[in-house]
Amino acid sequence: MLPNSFASYADGLHGENEIAEADVHVITSGGLRIPAHSNAAASTVLDSILEGRSSERTIRILGVPCDAVSVFIRFLYSFKCTEEQMERHGIHLLALSHVYLVPCLKHRCTKALAEQLITENVVDMLQLARLCDAPHLYLKCMKFLRSNFRKVEETEGWKFLQRHDPCLSLKFSSSVDEAELRKKRRRETHAEQNLYLQLSEGMDCLEHICTEGCTSVGPYDKEYSCQKKLPCSNDMPRPPA
């Protein structure tokens, strides 16, 4: 759906020449008719829809705001999207890019939405990432959820999910529990390693005392020393592992 010359079209979508030359019209839920062209393959899905239509050259893109559809069509021409447009329509653009197979737009949407995560929207973003097969966004959402689960539990989005899709909410909460369990195991493993290190150092000191008869090994505290002396080299603190 790229025209031979798209510069003026990308600026307005309302010029008489562009409307006269357009051979396709995109119709939105609000009844807006957006003129477009069918002479290139910016979206293979849109091209496939048009292939079977010789007379009726219209495409209905419903279920999203008119402005989001306009931004989507503009992107097919210019491959550009402003930060403001992404902030306002990123969710709908991700859905459109997934349905109509526009990978470059999908990539931009997933990155932008991952930076917009807050406590109030993470549940919606998580479901969207799951439905739109956006693994980068999904992982970002899960990481955010695990770090802020107690706060997310209090949001209306989480409560709505529990009421209408308890299986999915259980799946998400189970994932959080598993992550917490892994953290606990890592902490326990680290504590065990430190204990083994201390025991190993203690055994080294004991061996040093028994084999070399050293009498300087042990706590070196000048408060309890009758005379100042340097501690044994085996008693010097070792650098942390």
Side-chain angles (χ1 to χ4, degrees):
M1 291 185 72
L2 284 173
N4 293 326
S5 176
F6 57 79
S8 58
Y9 182 90
D11 287 337
L13 285 175
H14 296 296
E16 294 181 359
N17 293 335
E18 288 81 3
I19 294 177
E21 295 173 1
D23 60 348
V24 179
H25 281 85
V26 177
I27 302 176
T28 69
S29 297
L32 179 66
R33 294 176 64 88
I34 304 175
H37 305 75
S38 60
N39 59 337
S43 168
T44 54
V45 174
L46 291 176
D47 284 344
S48 298
I49 293 174
L50 290 172
E51 281 181 3
R53 300 182 181 182
S54 57
S55 56
E56 184 187 8
R57 307 289 285 178
T58 61
I59 299 176
R60 298 182 182 276
I61 299 181
L62 310 176
V64 295
C66 299
D67 290 344
V69 178
S70 295
V71 173
F72 176 66
I73 299 300
R74 288 174 188 269
F75 186 87
L76 298 182
Y77 280 79
S78 64
F79 292 99
K80 295 179 181 179
C81 186
T82 66
E83 291 183 5
E84 181 182 359
Q85 290 171 335
M86 190 62 68
E87 185 175 350
R88 291 180 60 189
H89 307 295
I91 291 177
H92 299 106
L93 291 175
L94 176 58
L96 290 170
S97 65
H98 175 69
V99 171
Y100 294 104
L101 296 182
V102 186
C104 54
L105 178 58
K106 186 174 182 178
H107 177 71
R108 287 196 57 183
C109 290
T110 54
K111 288 188 64 177
L113 292 175
E115 296 174 357
Q116 298 175 19
L117 289 176
I118 57 176
T119 303
E120 286 71 22
N121 70 11
V122 66
V123 174
D124 294 333
M125 293 287 195
L126 191 55
Q127 294 182 85
L128 179 67
R130 182 169 170 268
L131 293 172
C132 292
D133 189 24
H136 174 76
L137 179 59
Y138 186 88
L139 291 175
K140 289 286 185 179
C141 290
M142 288 304 301
K143 183 177 180 180
F144 186 96
L145 182 65
R146 290 164 185 163
S147 301
N148 305 274
F149 186 64
R150 299 309 172 196
K151 294 181 180 179
V152 174
E153 276 187 312
E154 302 299 322
T155 63
E156 290 301 319
W158 182 261
K159 294 175 183 177
F160 180 88
L161 182 65
Q162 285 185 309
R163 289 194 301 268
H164 295 85
D165 198 341
C167 292
L168 187 58
S169 66
L170 180 61
K171 177 182 178 181
F172 292 155
S173 58
S174 297
S175 178
V176 173
D177 292 339
E178 289 174 3
E180 288 298 323
L181 182 59
R182 286 195 295 270
K183 287 182 181 179
K184 182 179 178 181
R185 287 173 177 170
R186 283 197 296 268
R187 288 194 296 266
E188 291 175 349
T189 300
H190 184 67
E192 289 175 356
Q193 289 174 343
N194 285 337
L195 178 60
Y196 292 146
L197 178 61
Q198 293 174 17
L199 288 174
S200 176
E201 290 177 346
M203 292 300 294
D204 289 342
C205 288
L206 183 60
E207 182 181 3
H208 178 60
I209 293 171
C210 295
T211 57
E212 300 183 25
C214 179
T215 59
S216 299
V217 175
Y220 179 73
D221 192 332
K222 63 182 180 180
E223 183 179 349
Y224 300 102
S225 299
C226 297
Q227 57 182 355
K228 293 184 178 180
K229 59 180 180 179
L230 293 175
C232 175
S233 60
N234 278 38
D235 211 25
M236 296 296 288
R238 300 183 182 182

